[in-house]
Amino acid sequence: MPDDEQELRGLVGGCPWLLRALAVVRETGLPDAWIGAGTLRDLVWGQRYGAGFDPGALRDVDVVFFDSTDLSPEYDQRATARLASAWGEPPWEASNQAAVHTWYAATFGGEPIQPYSSVADAVATWPEYATAVAVRLDAADQIEICAPYGLADLLGGVWRHNPARVPVAHSRRRLARQEPARRWPDVTVVEPA
């Protein structure tokens, strides 16, 4: 795992655009804030299995943070606006992971979920193991990594369903929408069972 972490730090550190995004996230002062999911997948897989990383092709830049003192949807909107006012280029999407339980069932269906206890708790439920990863810059400009399942799928180019929260049917819809085999031809797709 330490070698995998160094490898990911090298990829993130070699991308000036992502380093700037991480600095903006840190400077906004959102509590326990990280960038994760598709942004990291697109960076790693674009460089390893595609035509390179194109920040302009990102659908969104997922910024997750954790603040149990305000669970309102307006908090996410204010956080996203803060990021956009600091740097207008990325398609920011901020989400307070402490509040996910208040809207998850209404958005995705199924039973209500228990509140998350931390960003790491939330990241562990993200749809694929390769996207269940987040990074941030600490005060000394060091890249911190949150990867509850490790980095093997992200670095190894494996699209695999994470059954922790996402139902198989939803995973199949994501697979059809994201088209990883088309976007990154050398990625291995493990069909959800």
Side-chain angles (χ1 to χ4, degrees):
M1 177 95 109
D3 288 341
D4 285 351
E5 289 183 0
Q6 283 307 108
E7 194 170 341
L8 181 58
R9 284 187 183 98
L11 290 166
V12 171
C15 179
W17 183 93
L18 185 52
L19 285 175
R20 180 175 178 190
L22 288 167
V24 166
V25 168
R26 181 184 60 195
E27 290 158 13
T28 64
L30 292 169
D32 199 15
W34 303 72
I35 292 177
T39 302
L40 295 178
R41 178 205 55 216
D42 287 7
L43 168 71
V44 173
W45 290 4
Q47 289 185 0
R48 292 191 160 183
Y49 306 105
F53 176 60
D54 177 8
L58 290 171
R59 194 180 87 229
D60 56 34
V61 175
D62 292 304
V63 175
V64 293
F65 63 99
F66 198 88
D67 187 350
S68 58
T69 66
D70 183 350
L71 304 183
S72 71
E74 293 78 22
Y75 194 1
D76 289 353
Q77 295 163 6
R78 289 190 311 269
T80 299
R82 278 168 61 182
L83 292 161
S85 70
W87 186 22
E89 179 184 317
W92 300 108
E93 186 173 304
S95 178
N96 182 3
Q97 300 302 285
V100 170
H101 69 283
T102 67
W103 53 260
Y104 187 89
T107 301
F108 294 109
E111 297 296 315
I113 65 170
Q114 292 297 310
Y116 295 132
S117 60
S118 65
V119 166
D121 192 25
V123 169
T125 69
W126 289 357
E128 295 87 32
Y129 292 124
T131 58
V133 179
V135 296
R136 70 177 175 189
L137 279 183
D138 68 14
D141 287 333
Q142 299 301 304
I143 298 164
E144 292 183 39
I145 299 169
C146 175
Y149 302 106
L151 299 169
D153 279 8
L154 175 62
L155 295 175
V158 178
W159 178 290
R160 182 188 335 257
H161 171 234
N162 174 6
R165 172 87 56 225
V166 177
V168 169
H170 179 71
S171 182
R172 287 189 178 124
R173 287 191 299 272
R174 279 182 54 81
L175 181 59
R177 185 178 69 244
Q178 297 279 336
E179 301 181 291
R182 180 191 61 78
R183 293 170 65 192
W184 307 285
D186 293 329
V187 163
T188 300
V189 175
V190 178
E191 293 283 339

